[in-house]
Amino acid sequence: MRASKTPTMSSSSSINADEATDEGHGSVVIEDLRKEFDDVTAVDGLSLEIEAEEFLTLLGPSGCGKSTTLRLISGLETATSGTIKINGEDVTDIPANKRNTSMVFQEWALFPHMTVQENIAFGLEMRDVPKAEREERIEHALELIELPGYQDRKVSQLSGGQKQRIAMARSIVLEPDVLLFDEPLSSLDRSLRQTMQIELKNMQEELGITFIYVTHDQEEALTMSNRVAVMNDGHLEQVGETYELYEHPQSEFVANFVGETNFFTGVVSEIDVKTLVIDAEEGDIRVESEKTDQLSVGDSVHLTVRPEDIEIADSLDTPNRWECTIGDVVYKGSFIQYDVDVGDRTFLVEQQMRKTTTPRERGDSVDVGFSVEAGEVILDR
Ligand SMILES: Nc1ncnc2c1ncn2[C@@H]1O[C@H](COP(=O)(O)OP(=O)(O)OP(=O)(O)O)[C@@H](O)[C@H]1O
Ligand SMILES: [Mg+2]
């Protein structure tokens, strides 16, 4: 039987930990990376530093270049230009089987008629790991993925979640410095996916190796990662810790892609130390911002305000306040989501629900508003 594709690729010892520089065991440094396929630029000048033992997620919409970036790191694709360093060593022109990385694919690429043991052993045999050591490593990997004793099961007799774990074990036994995951959970159902997210995160901490994880699901990215790199159209939009991306998005794209938000667009009409007034279509909006020193009166800016940072009340005395009418009301358990009509625009508002909270109803006339600290100013670049 032949594998339709090589399930894992990884390596031997050309780059081993002892030779690592002070950039650390499993660090990846990408500089000005480009990949062109005929007339498509899949990766367009990407620079990104991934620390050793970090869990970093590449997040972005379909076609933005996530898989291509991962394949470039693994050596499955060759860069058009730019450099990739692993453990401080330039691996840009080193083939996949000489890089100490291993990839877990979305489609598991297991051999269905072989046993778990045979599937996991495959990559080790390719690298001439002796039998006794193979068996020991496989036993350990199966414990790690919480399927101890599964060596003799046929892959065809496993559930989807178990198959995905075996695919991970097959990569883990190779003891790579960097494990690469390309949407490994997307074919699992929601509850299994959530369980596996937590397990993967725990596994990463236990293994102490670098995980680079690709997803287009922002909730998954926030749940699992130390840091998230948001990609758009082949380039990096922003990289940061999950709360930074959510609370301080630096572009409209990031604000929209990570969570839901309300946008305001206008021109700066006043600046006073850290406070500025934005002359927007909805009226004057007063905000505090750390970015006032990068702004001048007359500059156009955007403001993003998260739904949970907008208040509704019978009467508000915040500086940014509008009279409004409640539109759609969606009960979500711990919170209620409202569409709130202010003139001809609609705000998205979320209100925390407690047992004692009385929800607003469609057609209610109330005030809607937010404080000067509620929004994040985005420079118009
Ligand atoms: N082998 C290839 N030949 C030609 N074009 C390619 C090739 N691989 C990828 N592309 C193109 O490069 C761009 C980026 O593709 P890539 O697979 O990296 O996206 P992605 O972010 O992983 O998307 P998805 O979330 O849908 O998996 C796309 O426009 C895609 O069509
Ligand atoms: Mg992809």
Side-chain angles (χ1 to χ4, degrees):
M1 186 178 67
R2 289 185 34 174
S4 56
K5 67 170 73 159
T6 310
T8 52
M9 66 289 323
S10 165
S11 93
S12 45
S13 43
S14 70
I15 305 151
N16 76 39
D18 300 336
E19 293 165 8
T21 66
D22 51 11
E23 290 191 47
H25 186 54
S27 69
V28 179
V29 177
I30 297 168
E31 273 170 28
D32 205 16
L33 191 64
R34 283 181 73 81
K35 177 65 184 176
E36 290 164 11
F37 296 105
D38 305 322
D39 54 345
V40 180
T41 304
V43 178
D44 190 4
L46 179 77
S47 296
L48 180 62
E49 294 192 13
I50 301 148
E51 283 171 35
E53 300 182 25
E54 182 173 20
F55 195 133
L56 180 115
T57 297
L58 295 177
L59 174 69
S62 185
C64 73
K66 304 180 296 294
S67 296
T68 305
T69 302
L70 218 56
R71 293 167 65 81
L72 287 163
I73 297 170
S74 74
L76 283 177
E77 297 284 2
T78 314
T80 306
S81 63
T83 56
I84 300 168
K85 290 181 185 164
I86 298 179
N87 291 334
E89 292 207 30
D90 191 336
V91 298
T92 318
D93 298 316
I94 289 181
N97 63 358
K98 295 276 168 54
R99 297 187 192 188
N100 208 358
T101 64
S102 180
M103 178 106 92
V104 179
F105 293 99
Q106 174 182 349
E107 62 302 344
W108 307 303
L110 296 172
F111 306 109
H113 304 298
M114 280 162 53
T115 64
V116 166
Q117 172 90 17
E118 289 162 344
N119 266 279
I120 304 177
F122 184 80
L124 296 173
E125 284 165 13
M126 302 281 282
R127 285 200 261 148
D128 298 325
V129 175
K131 186 159 188 280
E133 189 185 334
R134 280 202 311 258
E135 285 178 1
E136 199 179 308
R137 285 209 214 169
I138 291 170
E139 190 179 334
H140 179 74
L142 287 174
E143 276 164 19
L144 206 66
I145 57 160
E146 292 178 11
L147 292 175
Y150 271 64
Q151 280 90 335
D152 297 328
R153 280 274 199 113
K154 285 246 163 56
V155 163
S156 56
Q157 297 166 341
L158 298 173
S159 72
Q162 289 169 334
K163 281 182 197 153
Q164 186 52 279
R165 282 179 221 211
I166 300 302
M168 285 172 197
R170 194 179 45 188
S171 286
I172 292 166
V173 286
L174 301 174
E175 301 177 351
D177 286 340
V178 184
L179 253 182
L180 305 165
F181 294 88
D182 196 355
E183 313 228 16
L185 307 182
S186 56
S187 52
L188 305 180
D189 69 45
R190 187 181 160 82
S191 84
L192 184 56
R193 199 162 70 228
Q194 286 171 335
T195 311
M196 292 289 292
Q197 286 169 1
I198 306 296
E199 286 187 10
L200 259 177
K201 195 175 160 71
N202 292 340
M203 205 187 290
Q204 191 262 342
E205 281 164 18
E206 196 169 329
L207 285 168
I209 60 178
T210 309
F211 275 30
I212 306 179
Y213 190 94
V214 161
T215 183
H216 60 261
D217 178 346
Q218 52 107 3
E219 203 179 300
E220 185 161 288
L222 297 185
T223 308
M224 301 180 76
S225 342
N226 304 125
R227 289 194 309 152
V228 176
V230 181
M231 287 184 71
N232 176 23
D233 208 9
H235 68 267
L236 183 69
E237 282 277 330
Q238 188 175 348
V239 57
E241 291 182 25
T242 51
Y243 80 90
E244 261 178 79
L245 291 176
Y246 188 81
E247 300 296 347
H248 304 292
Q250 297 308 317
S251 66
E252 277 186 88
F253 182 86
V254 173
N256 263 321
F257 201 76
V258 182
E260 292 189 275
T261 200
N262 295 280
F263 272 110
F264 301 86
T265 300
V267 171
V268 176
S269 61
E270 240 180 275
I271 299 179
D272 179 18
V273 197
K274 295 285 169 205
T275 306
L276 55 96
V277 177
I278 302 169
D279 177 7
E281 220 166 87
E282 296 81 2
D284 278 355
I285 302 178
R286 185 172 291 272
V287 292
E288 283 179 8
S289 173
E290 292 301 314
K291 295 178 190 143
T292 45
D293 52 0
Q294 299 170 56
L295 285 166
S296 310
V297 168
D299 285 350
S300 49
V301 287
H302 306 281
L303 181 75
T304 145
V305 187
R306 297 293 182 190
E308 65 274 20
D309 292 319
I310 298 190
E311 295 170 75
I312 40 179
D314 293 334
S315 140
L316 282 173
D317 58 3
T318 54
N320 308 307
R321 184 192 72 84
W322 296 265
E323 288 171 5
C324 70
T325 311
I326 301 286
D328 286 346
V329 180
V330 183
Y331 179 68
K332 299 244 185 181
S334 62
F335 67 95
I336 288 194
Q337 190 177 294
Y338 299 99
D339 279 349
V340 173
D341 298 323
V342 179
D344 53 12
R345 105 153 256 197
T346 302
F347 293 173
L348 183 67
V349 180
E350 281 173 13
Q351 183 185 29
Q352 279 301 310
M353 278 302 285
R354 301 213 167 75
K355 211 156 190 141
T356 50
T357 317
T358 311
R360 303 284 170 173
E361 286 174 17
R362 174 188 282 282
D364 282 359
S365 291
V366 289
D367 276 4
V368 65
F370 52 86
S371 73
V372 293
E373 301 101 12
E376 181 73 21
V377 173
I378 293 178
L379 307 180
D380 201 2
R381 280 177 292 207

